Amino acid sequence: MTAFWCETLLIDGIAVAGVRLEADNDGRISRVQVQAAEAADIRLGTVLPGFGNAHSHAFHRALRGQTHAEGGDFWLWRERMYRVAAQLDPSKYQALATAVFAEMLVSGYTAVGEFHYVHHHTNGEPYETEHAMELALAAAARAVGIRLVLLDTIYLQGGIGRELAPEQLAFGDSDAAGWLARWGSLRAKLEGDDLVTLGAALHSVRAVTPDAMREVQGGLPADVPLHVHLSEQPQENTDCLAAYGLTPTGVLDSLGALAPRLSVVHATHLSNADRTLLGNAGVTVVMCPTTEADLGDGIGPAFALAKEGCPIALGSDQNAVIDPFLEMRGLEMGERLASQQRGRFAPTALLTAATSTGYASLGLGRHRMREGDHCDLVEISSTGMRTVGTFVEQLPLTATASDVLRVIVGGRVVAEGGRLVGGSEPAALMADALGRLGE
């Protein structure tokens, strides 16, 4: 048993003074009490629940700071992304993911949903070692100490009615049955892992046919979280309407896919009817504000979706920015710019999106600092130059990842002062990983 005494702990967005948390041998909270510290306690200052990154593509991080002089749009950026994907192999991807996950961890993310589709050799042939790329990601998460939900992704076509392009062959499986067989085999490989669990993802309605999506839904266990990119670009809506006479949301609804276990990512370009369908079904919407801004995707209707009944989660997506505070800030500031009103999402709602809703989206439970929840915590400096004078409840709108002091995952301190426990620096890990990509 490990115990932490928090000078101040945010519970459901409310600052509570003098909270003692006990973590059991499984890394879950076994006791929560307001009391004085005991001699053996690990003493913390201002503490927030650990942040859940509900949507990440780790390898996109290799493009950070390299595409800003080109102009263009998402589709031009995608061409550069494909070139990075073509350089990956299991060894290089493990090194890159280790660096990315390390940066996430020291920035306050205690869990990440990795939306993973680079499965095979560039010619589409499987690696000699079964699940080599997936196991590389799992090894990276274990090495760092971050909680990983591997959202293994089905990706079968290069667009509606189009075969996979040569640069997409590494992403594909033969058909839905082939993907399900590979997914089931991978689940058996990861079974019993305390830190790494397996989820699932449909890449998009562009990349998976309705028949294949129906087969995947029927073949997955009901408790497995399912994610999908949705209406990130207007072109997806146009193509979908032309092919099926329905919006992407309408296609998912026609398949019975809209349900609380589903998380849709981006949801930037939706009709009023789409928003109602998603809200009525209790579908989680994962917004990725820094990526949506970086790629010029548009400002999604997050506030309207929340009013319709959709839980809102947050993700770092392409990892051009890795900072949970900037994702929270981006969500609210986008709403302010679009509506010309302040306080669309209260600080408590922002924190919920970044913590408990993200965890729930990934199938990781409540994450509300209650008994039985994962003991995943982040200590924040409340006296630094960005945060001094801030009401604790309003830290989501003033702090940044630079204010993270210590990070706890499963009742263990795993990062402190911008380094992993053990001394590894994310920047050094990233420099090494990027060097390997050029080899």
Side-chain angles (χ1 to χ4, degrees):
M1 187 271 289
T2 305
F4 300 90
W5 186 81
C6 310
E7 182 178 337
T8 303
L9 174 64
L10 275 182
I11 301 177
D12 294 335
I14 298 171
V16 182
V19 180
R20 187 172 184 271
L21 301 173
E22 293 182 2
D24 62 22
N25 292 334
D26 294 325
R28 291 184 178 270
I29 297 172
S30 57
R31 196 175 187 186
V32 183
Q33 283 192 314
V34 175
Q35 65 169 81
E38 297 185 6
D41 292 351
I42 297 173
R43 294 183 178 232
L44 305 172
T46 300
V47 179
L48 279 58
F51 296 106
N53 185 349
H55 188 72
S56 163
H57 300 293
F59 78 91
H60 293 185
R61 165 62 181 84
L63 288 173
R64 183 188 292 178
Q66 298 181 13
T67 64
H68 302 293
E70 299 173 346
D73 56 10
F74 166 85
W75 304 103
L76 177 61
W77 172 87
R78 190 177 73 157
E79 293 175 12
R80 291 287 303 275
M81 180 268 286
Y82 284 156
R83 292 204 287 271
V84 173
Q87 298 177 60
L88 298 175
D89 61 27
S91 176
K92 292 177 181 178
Y93 204 3
Q94 183 171 335
L96 181 58
T98 298
V100 174
F101 293 160
E103 184 180 356
M104 287 181 187
L105 195 70
V106 303
S107 299
Y109 286 118
T110 50
V112 56
E114 182 61 27
F115 199 106
H116 165 65
Y117 53 81
V118 188
H119 302 301
H120 309 301
H121 285 290
T122 54
N123 64 1
E125 291 296 317
Y127 283 96
E128 295 72 16
T129 300
E130 190 178 22
H131 310 304
M133 291 294 256
E134 293 72 35
L135 295 178
L137 289 168
R142 292 189 203 102
V144 167
I146 197 168
R147 203 176 295 284
L148 170 67
V149 179
L150 184 60
L151 298 167
D152 195 272
T153 303
I154 181 170
Y155 196 133
L156 298 180
Q157 57 182 8
I160 295 175
R162 297 203 301 270
E163 297 291 322
L164 289 172
E167 61 269 23
Q168 297 169 321
L169 292 176
F171 312 159
D173 291 284
S174 56
D175 51 27
W179 179 84
L180 281 166
R182 187 175 59 74
W183 187 92
S185 173
L186 178 58
R187 194 183 202 199
K189 284 267 189 186
L190 297 175
E191 194 170 7
D193 195 312
D194 292 334
L195 207 60
V196 180
T197 55
L198 185 62
L202 311 162
H203 182 273
S204 59
V205 298
R206 291 183 288 109
V208 189
T209 66
D211 285 343
M213 287 191 280
R214 185 181 291 109
E215 189 172 350
V216 165
Q217 284 186 89
L220 286 174
D223 62 341
V224 172
L226 181 64
H227 288 221
V228 60
H229 291 124
L230 184 73
S231 293
E232 181 179 5
Q233 298 295 323
Q235 188 64 47
E236 178 179 301
N237 294 349
T238 300
D239 293 347
C240 193
L241 284 164
Y244 307 125
L246 295 168
T247 64
T249 301
V251 170
L252 293 174
D253 181 54
S254 74
L255 298 171
L258 300 185
R261 82 142 163 191
L262 183 70
S263 293
V264 298
V265 183
H266 301 304
T268 308
H269 303 283
L270 300 178
S271 68
N272 291 338
D274 290 338
R275 295 200 297 266
T276 299
L277 284 171
L278 293 168
N280 286 344
V283 172
T284 295
V285 176
V286 183
M287 293 290 182
C288 305
T290 62
T291 287
E292 289 145 9
D294 182 74
L295 297 180
D297 288 344
I299 300 172
F303 186 72
L305 284 162
K307 286 187 69 175
E308 290 281 3
C310 290
I312 305 296
L314 293 168
S316 65
D317 195 0
Q318 62 157 330
N319 296 303
V321 176
I322 296 179
D323 188 326
F325 291 96
L326 295 188
E327 301 300 345
M328 288 187 282
R329 205 111 82 243
L331 182 67
E332 169 63 9
M333 297 310 166
E335 280 292 331
R336 292 185 185 188
L337 289 169
S339 69
Q340 300 180 50
Q341 294 181 344
R342 302 180 80 228
R344 300 280 278 180
F345 286 99
T348 297
L350 295 175
L351 187 64
T352 297
T355 59
S356 59
T357 307
Y359 266 57
S361 168
L362 298 174
L364 293 174
R366 300 171 303 176
H367 197 44
R368 294 180 59 194
M369 301 293 97
R370 302 290 197 273
E371 292 179 7
D373 293 354
H374 291 294
C375 188
D376 297 350
L377 314 170
V378 178
E379 182 187 19
I380 305 296
S381 170
S382 59
T383 58
M385 62 182 180
R386 285 167 294 276
T387 60
V388 64
T390 297
F391 295 134
V392 172
E393 291 90 346
Q394 296 190 26
L395 282 170
L397 290 165
T398 61
T400 72
S402 298
D403 297 300
V404 172
L405 300 176
R406 278 180 284 188
V407 181
I408 291 97
V409 175
R412 291 191 311 114
V413 178
V414 291
E416 186 168 4
R419 296 174 179 235
L420 303 181
V421 168
S424 295
E425 293 185 350
L429 293 171
M430 182 56 68
D432 173 69
L434 294 176
R436 295 188 193 197
L437 285 182
E439 294 174 356

